[in-house]
Amino acid sequence: MSPSEQPQNPSAENEIVRAEATVTLHRAPRYRNFMLLGAIVGVLLALILTVSFPETEEYERMQIFGFLLLGGVAIGTALGAVVALVIDRIIGRSKMSVVADRLGTNGVSTTSELRAAEPGSGTPDDEFPTFNEK
């Protein structure tokens, strides 16, 4: 085996399967991303609508943009969330069951054999409740 073909993790040879469990995978969209995209579309729509219509005597162009921006961001965020919910319902119907392995290592020290933190080392195991106090 050449050096480029060797495994990246040298401790992978010591791993053993401790337990197996069947888990269900469910793909879901990232709601935050959809809502952020909806808000950005609302901002762009507010900007386009502000520029496309002429300025009136009652309101300045920046006031109109502010009003449209408030509504555009709110409506865009809500529509982004609704789109994410619809996609989640469509994709959510397909669930997949897989077997997951719980791996352990052979020959590596366990947590009971680990050395305790030195006093005054700045670790949370110190006797003092404050951390990194000067």
Side-chain angles (χ1 to χ4, degrees), residues 47 51 87:
L47 183 64
V51 173
I87 290 174

Side-chain angles (χ1 to χ4, degrees), residues 7 11 13 21 23 30 39 63 78-79 86 93-94 101 106 125-127 129:
S11 66
E13 301 168 352
V23 295
R30 303 219 183 247
Q63 289 176 326
L79 286 177
V86 169
R93 294 181 186 149
S94 61
D101 296 334
N106 191 13
D125 293 335
D126 286 345
E127 297 173 6

